[in-house]
Amino acid sequence: MIMENLMQNKQQLIEHKLQQTFTPDYLEVINESSQHNVPPGAESHFKVIIVASGFERLGLVKRHQAVYSALAQLMQEGVHALALHTLSPREWQAKNKQVKKSPPCLGGSAKAS
């Protein structure tokens, strides 16, 4: 808890929680809030790329549930969306250590027709 009080932003908190929970081989947390229909400086939309050997034996749904469980408190404190890329080391290698770019935001209720 002391570490959480010292951290300045949600991105750092997400990184810390995921490091603690999964001890990943690779972790990247990207704040994509500026690409969405939110106020400037918002911390509500994140892309998470996490590679952990513990994912090797889990299906995609279980992986996502594990990440959401680790971040449950933050999800209640204003994190609106997570684009999750949960991979085993083998899968990460097979994807040449890359994931797809996030699609453009359609503006929430102001969706393009």
Side-chain angles (χ1 to χ4, degrees):
M1 297 275 185
I2 293 172
M3 178 66 87
E4 291 172 9
N5 292 334
L6 295 174
M7 293 184 188
Q8 298 294 315
N9 61 48
K10 288 180 182 155
Q11 182 173 345
Q12 289 175 323
L13 285 170
I14 292 168
E15 290 168 352
H16 177 71
K17 292 272 189 192
L18 295 177
Q19 283 286 353
Q20 260 187 331
T21 304
F22 298 101
T23 315
D25 296 337
Y26 179 82
L27 175 63
E28 186 173 2
V29 178
I30 304 159
N31 184 348
E32 295 186 329
S33 301
S34 65
Q35 300 170 22
H36 295 271
N37 189 18
V38 297
E43 290 187 287
S44 57
H45 294 70
F46 293 90
K47 178 177 187 172
V48 174
I49 304 165
I50 182 168
V51 179
S53 57
F55 291 149
E56 193 72 51
R57 64 187 185 282
L58 299 177
L60 187 61
V61 171
K62 293 288 186 191
R63 293 174 187 189
H64 286 203
Q65 288 173 335
V67 170
Y68 278 114
S69 178
L71 301 177
Q73 174 101 20
L74 286 168
M75 296 302 294
Q76 294 176 0
E77 296 174 355
V79 173
H80 174 71
L82 294 174
L84 297 178
H85 300 271
T86 54
L87 304 155
S88 70
R90 180 182 49 79
E91 292 165 335
W92 183 235
Q93 288 289 24
K95 289 184 175 278
N96 294 318
K97 300 182 179 182
Q98 296 180 4
V99 296
K100 292 180 182 178
K101 290 186 176 187
S102 296
C105 176
L106 296 177
S109 62
K111 290 182 181 176
S113 48

